[in-house]
């Protein structure tokens, strides 16, 4: 007498459609892994089709994705295409061409990977970071500025300075150098209050401190004079000796 084995019930479901569902729901792999009490690598294996999802894990995954378990089983059996990735931003393309990861760039410019990602997502980098990014990528600062959508301030171009621009010029060039008011004062041998006063238009640097500022910012000798107010002779050159 032949005994036929009882039909087996498939105790798993395919996982290739899991990633599109997860991305659409905005759920990270780590959250799915924690819900199903598996490692993140296991979730990646499900999504890549290297392993099938146990049916026992479906309710936990459904809860993390915010869908009913039966709906998730049905969706997992329906082939879905992963969403097309968004085009890389110009700033990200610069980094990719340099062959550097966000972590490496962050370490070179003195920032964090999250911040580098936000710049690539459209947040304008500070002036000093434009210089550091240009150095990291081996390209001109103007190339990084254009990729980041940042219009370099007029105050960075001595040819465009006008009479009375001195406070804005000093603020911009200090930011460009990545210095605080205190750090600049230490370099010049004067007080933080003196630097603050110049940048607020309450005074102007003396001839000696003007020359020191030009050396710090690598400007031609006498360049800052073009931005001094016409009445600078009536203002106090307020720098501590």
């Amino acid at each position: 007498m032949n005994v036929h084995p009882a039909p087996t019930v498939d105790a798993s479901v395919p996982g290739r459609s899991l990633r599109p569902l997860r991305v659409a729901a905005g759920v990270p792999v780590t959250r799915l892994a924690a819900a199903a009490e598996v490692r993140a690598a296991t979730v990646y294996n499900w999504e890549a089709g290297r392993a099938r999802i146990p049916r026992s894990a479906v309710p936990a995954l459904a809860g993390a994705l915010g869908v009913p378990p039966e709906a998730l089983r049905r969706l997992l059996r329906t082939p879905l295409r992963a969403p097309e990735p968004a085009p890389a931003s110009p700033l990200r393309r610069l980094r990719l061409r340099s062959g550097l990861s966000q972590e490496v760039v962050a370490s070179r410019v003195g920032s964090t990977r999250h911040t580098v990602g936000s710049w690539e997502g459209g947040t304008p980098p500070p002036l000093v970071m434009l210089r550091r990014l240009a150095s990291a990528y081996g390209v001109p600062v103007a190339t990084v500025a254009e990729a980041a959508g940042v219009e370099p301030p007029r105050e960075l171009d001595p040819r465009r300075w006008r009479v009375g621009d001195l406070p804005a010029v000093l603020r911009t060039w200090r930011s460009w150098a990545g210095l605080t008011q205190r750090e600049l004062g230490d370099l010049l041998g004067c007080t933080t209050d003196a630097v603050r006063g110049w940048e607020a238009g309450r005074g102007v640097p003396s001839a000696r401190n003007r020359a020191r500022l030009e050396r710090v910012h690598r400007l031609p000798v006498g360049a800052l004079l073009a931005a001094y107010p016409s009445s600078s002779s009536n203002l106090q050159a307020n720098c501590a000796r």
Side-chain angles (χ1 to χ4, degrees), residues 169-238:
V169 166
L170 294 180
R171 290 193 302 270
T172 301
W173 278 83
R174 178 175 58 78
S175 177
W176 182 246
L179 298 170
T180 64
Q181 291 177 333
R182 180 175 182 177
E183 289 169 341
L184 180 58
D186 289 343
L187 287 174
L188 301 176
C190 67
T191 66
T192 302
D193 285 342
V195 176
R196 187 178 298 117
W198 302 337
E199 295 184 358
R202 294 193 299 268
V204 296
S206 64
R208 183 176 67 175
N209 288 310
R210 173 184 53 76
R212 290 174 176 173
L213 281 165
E214 289 166 347
R215 285 197 297 272
V216 166
H217 296 313
R218 299 181 181 179
L219 292 166
V221 175
L224 285 172
L225 289 173
Y228 270 59
S230 58
S231 58
S232 61
S233 60
N234 297 325
L235 294 172
Q236 179 185 4
N238 58 354

Side-chain angles (χ1 to χ4, degrees), residues 3-11:
V3 178
H4 297 285
T8 58
V9 177
D10 189 359

Side-chain angles (χ1 to χ4, degrees), residues 75-94:
L75 290 169
L76 288 173
R77 292 190 178 94
T78 304
L80 298 175
R81 295 184 59 185
E84 294 294 328
S89 68
L91 195 58
R92 184 169 187 267
R93 288 199 296 270
L94 274 182

Side-chain angles (χ1 to χ4, degrees), residues 41-226:
T42 300
V43 177
Y44 284 123
N45 285 335
W46 292 342
E47 294 183 347
R50 292 188 291 268
R52 290 171 65 89
I53 302 173
R55 290 176 66 89
S56 60
V58 171
L61 295 175
L65 294 171
V67 298
E70 284 305 319
L72 179 58
R73 291 189 186 94
R74 184 172 61 254
L75 290 169
L76 288 173
R77 292 190 178 94
T78 304
L80 298 175
R81 295 184 59 185
E84 294 294 328
S89 68
L91 195 58
R92 184 169 187 267
R93 288 199 296 270
L94 274 182
R95 177 178 59 79
L96 294 176
R97 282 203 294 267
S98 72
L100 301 176
S101 66
Q102 289 181 339
E103 289 83 356
V104 171
V105 172
S107 67
R108 291 190 181 182
V109 304
S111 187
T112 65
R113 183 197 63 78
H114 175 76
T115 302
V116 172
S118 71
W119 295 338
E120 294 181 355
T123 301
L127 288 179
V128 64
M129 289 302 176
L130 292 179
R131 296 178 63 182
R132 295 178 185 177
L133 288 170
S135 176
Y137 300 152
V139 298
V141 175
T143 300
V144 175
E146 181 180 0
V150 176
E151 179 69 26
R154 175 180 62 83
E155 290 80 11
L156 285 179
D157 187 354
R159 297 169 300 179
R160 301 171 66 187
W161 291 349
R162 297 189 291 260
V163 171
D165 278 347
L166 187 64
V169 166
L170 294 180
R171 290 193 302 270
T172 301
W173 278 83
R174 178 175 58 78
S175 177
W176 182 246
L179 298 170
T180 64
Q181 291 177 333
R182 180 175 182 177
E183 289 169 341
L184 180 58
D186 289 343
L187 287 174
L188 301 176
C190 67
T191 66
T192 302
D193 285 342
V195 176
R196 187 178 298 117
W198 302 337
E199 295 184 358
R202 294 193 299 268
V204 296
S206 64
R208 183 176 67 175
N209 288 310
R210 173 184 53 76
R212 290 174 176 173
L213 281 165
E214 289 166 347
R215 285 197 297 272
V216 166
H217 296 313
R218 299 181 181 179
L219 292 166
V221 175
L224 285 172
L225 289 173

